[in-house]
């Protein structure tokens, strides 16, 4: 027995090495990118306006129409359009820098998608222990025949689903948690959409100029124009499919766009149970530029930051950022369709209250002056009395 112990120890070591090798092989097999990250990550999905969009034929055609209009709203729209194109990418870089530092403190990955990167057919992965990002190939395989979305590919539901599938692949087969931050243009019922939703290269210029004369703000709404991009229902359905196929959950989702709260029961019902806290703008506008992740996640110096504390800081900071943002869960979010429906019937409610008050006043008048208001019988020579002051 004495001489068998070294052999037993060698066998144990070999067994341990084999198990470790199988674990590594398992990780490689299930990660198409070649490695497994930690079980948590921040995902920054920036459906921003790229510089290429401003130089596009559609943008230039619209700017030409705005320059021809003498309306104050046209100048306001033009300035907002150009500023968005110039500042959007800068805001993304600023956000990525702040989120990168927080991800390092939390020892988790930061995965970045943007329209500029998508047009270059790639996305970036910032590993917890590396300063330089890893560039990954990203080109969902379909022909894009939509001229409005060609320079804003992250507006498309196919791109969003491919991006979330890539995230699941990066994190590997184990149970993983994702803090999803979405920055986009949005509207009622739309989670992801480009800044321009109309083709101005083939539009009726005179009709647009007439509409501009009646606009008093920087949001131009044209008749017979349908919004392009990813609806709220499609957005949540994609997260539902991704989480059902992978051991992935979203404890935190920030819909950083205008009117990003659910306005219908269908939208609220589409939110999967794998989603935890949802921060959204309700039925109001918001400004991405005014949100500083550097300030939201400040404190603690270089001390390690847990994923749960990171989420708590994001939720608390965003809801306190004076941007009219709200915090909900998949359960409490049902209040928004109710509130939205009540606002639809607000005018009817006011009218109903007015009718009720009028009937009550009339009833009181009948009780006090029954003959003067409702005279059931009178002589032919009856004349109503008129009191002069």
């Amino acid at each position: 027995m004495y001489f068998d112990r070294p052999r037993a120890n060698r066998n144990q070591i070999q067994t341990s090495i084999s198990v470790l090798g199988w674990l590594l092989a398992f990780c490689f097999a299930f990660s198409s990118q070649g490695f497994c990250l930690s079980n948590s990550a921040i995902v920054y999905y920036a459906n921003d306006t790229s510089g290429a969009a401003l130089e596009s034929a559609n943008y230039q055609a619209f700017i030409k129409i705005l320059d021809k209009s003498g309306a104050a709203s046209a100048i306001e729209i033009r300035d907002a359009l150009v500023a968005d194109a110039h500042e959007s990418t800068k805001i993304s870089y600023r956000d990525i820098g702040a989120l990168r530092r927080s991800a390092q403190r939390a020892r988790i990955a930061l995965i970045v998608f943007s329209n500029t990167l998508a047009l270059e057919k790639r996305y970036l992965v910032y590993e917890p222990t590396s300063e330089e990002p890893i560039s990954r190939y990203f080109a969902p395989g379909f022909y894009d025949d939509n001229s409005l979305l060609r320079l804003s590919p992250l507006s498309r539901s196919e791109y969003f689903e491919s991006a979330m599938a890539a995230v699941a692949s990066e994190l590997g087969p184990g149970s993983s948690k994702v803090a999803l931050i979405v920055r986009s243009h949005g509207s009622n019922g739309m989670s992801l959409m480009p800044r321009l939703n109309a083709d101005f290269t083939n539009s009726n210029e005179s009709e647009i100029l007439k509409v501009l004369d009646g606009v008093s703000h920087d949001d131009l709404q044209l008749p017979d124009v349908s919004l392009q991009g990813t609806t709220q229902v499609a957005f949540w359905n994609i997260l539902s499919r991704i989480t059902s196929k992978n051991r992935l959950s979203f404890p935190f989702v920030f819909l950083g766009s205008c009117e990003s709260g659910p306005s219908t029961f269908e939208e609220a019902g589409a939110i999967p149970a794998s989603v935890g806290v949802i921060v959204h703008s309700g039925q109001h506008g918001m400004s991405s530029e005014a949100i500083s992740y550097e300030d939201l996640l400040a404190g603690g110096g270089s001390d390690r930051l847990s994923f749960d504390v990171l989420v708590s800081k994001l939720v608390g900071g965003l809801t306190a950022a004076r941007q009219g943002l709200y915090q909900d869960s998949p359960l409490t979010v049902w209040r928004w369709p109710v509130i939205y429906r009540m606002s639809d019937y607000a005018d009817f409610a006011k009218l109903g209250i007015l009718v009720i008050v009028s009937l009550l006043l009339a009833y009181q008048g009948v009780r006090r002056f029954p003959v003067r208001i409702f005279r059931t019988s009178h002589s032919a020579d009856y004349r109503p009395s008129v009191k002069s002051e």
Side-chain angles (χ1 to χ4, degrees), residues 38-221:
S38 61
N39 65 340
S40 302
I42 301 172
V43 173
Y44 184 70
Y45 192 88
N47 183 34
D48 47 11
T49 304
S50 64
L54 181 61
E55 301 302 323
S56 68
N58 194 34
Y59 263 72
Q60 291 303 311
F62 187 40
I63 290 175
K64 183 179 178 180
I65 295 173
L66 293 173
D67 288 340
K68 285 186 177 181
S69 173
S73 59
I75 299 174
E76 192 176 356
I77 292 172
R78 188 191 191 286
D79 291 345
L81 199 68
V82 174
D84 173 63
H86 286 159
E87 299 298 325
S88 189
T89 303
K90 294 180 182 178
I91 294 172
S92 293
Y93 283 130
R94 181 202 65 182
D95 292 349
I96 291 167
L99 293 171
R100 171 66 187 128
R101 287 184 285 274
S102 295
Q104 283 183 319
R105 288 177 57 198
R107 307 294 194 272
I108 62 175
L110 170 65
I111 305 175
V112 176
F113 299 86
S114 73
N115 278 321
T116 300
L117 291 171
L119 291 172
E120 297 172 356
K121 298 184 178 181
R122 64 192 184 107
Y123 67 93
L124 299 178
V125 178
Y126 292 83
E127 293 181 280
T129 57
S130 177
E131 292 296 330
E132 295 299 321
I134 300 170
S135 180
R136 299 288 193 205
Y137 182 73
F138 181 63
F142 66 93
Y143 174 70
D144 190 354
D145 59 349
N146 188 325
S147 61
L148 296 178
L149 300 181
R150 193 171 297 134
L151 295 177
S152 183
L154 295 194
S155 295
R156 300 193 67 115
S157 59
E158 297 91 345
Y159 269 78
F160 181 63
E161 186 156 11
S162 296
M164 294 303 101
V167 169
S169 181
E170 291 284 356
L171 295 176
S175 179
S176 304
K177 297 184 292 185
V178 171
L180 176 59
I181 298 174
V182 177
R183 188 168 78 83
S184 176
H185 294 292
S187 185
N188 185 14
M190 299 294 296
S191 290
L192 303 168
M193 56 184 278
R195 182 64 186 257
L196 288 186
N197 275 272
D199 184 359
F200 293 97
T201 59
N202 297 309
S203 60
N204 189 323
E205 183 177 306
S206 60
E207 290 297 325
I208 296 174
L209 290 172
K210 289 179 182 179
V211 174
L212 284 169
D213 288 336
V215 174
S216 59
H217 47 78
D218 65 352
D219 187 15
L220 176 64
Q221 296 182 358

Side-chain angles (χ1 to χ4, degrees), residues 279-328:
V279 176
H280 58 90
S281 60
Q283 297 302 315
H284 308 290
M286 60 158 291
S287 170
S288 297
E289 185 178 5
I291 295 175
S292 169
Y293 292 102
E294 192 74 53
D295 295 337
L296 298 185
L297 299 170
S302 59
D303 296 340
R304 181 163 183 175
L305 188 68
S306 71
F307 182 83
D308 291 339
V309 172
L310 174 71
V311 168
S312 179
K313 281 179 171 286
L314 284 170
V315 173
L318 287 169
T319 53
R322 296 184 179 180
Q323 284 294 306
L325 299 176
Y326 305 90
Q327 169 189 347
D328 276 295

Side-chain angles (χ1 to χ4, degrees), residues 13-23:
I13 292 173
Q14 290 174 353
T15 301
S16 299
I17 292 174
S18 298
V19 171
L20 179 60
W22 278 108
L23 287 174

Side-chain angles (χ1 to χ4, degrees), residues 347-369:
D347 291 337
F348 292 103
K350 293 176 183 177
L351 179 60
I353 293 172
L354 180 62
V355 170
I356 292 172
V357 171
S358 300
L359 290 174
L360 288 174
L361 291 174
Y363 176 70
Q364 291 297 323
V366 169
R367 291 185 60 188
R368 293 180 60 186
F369 311 104

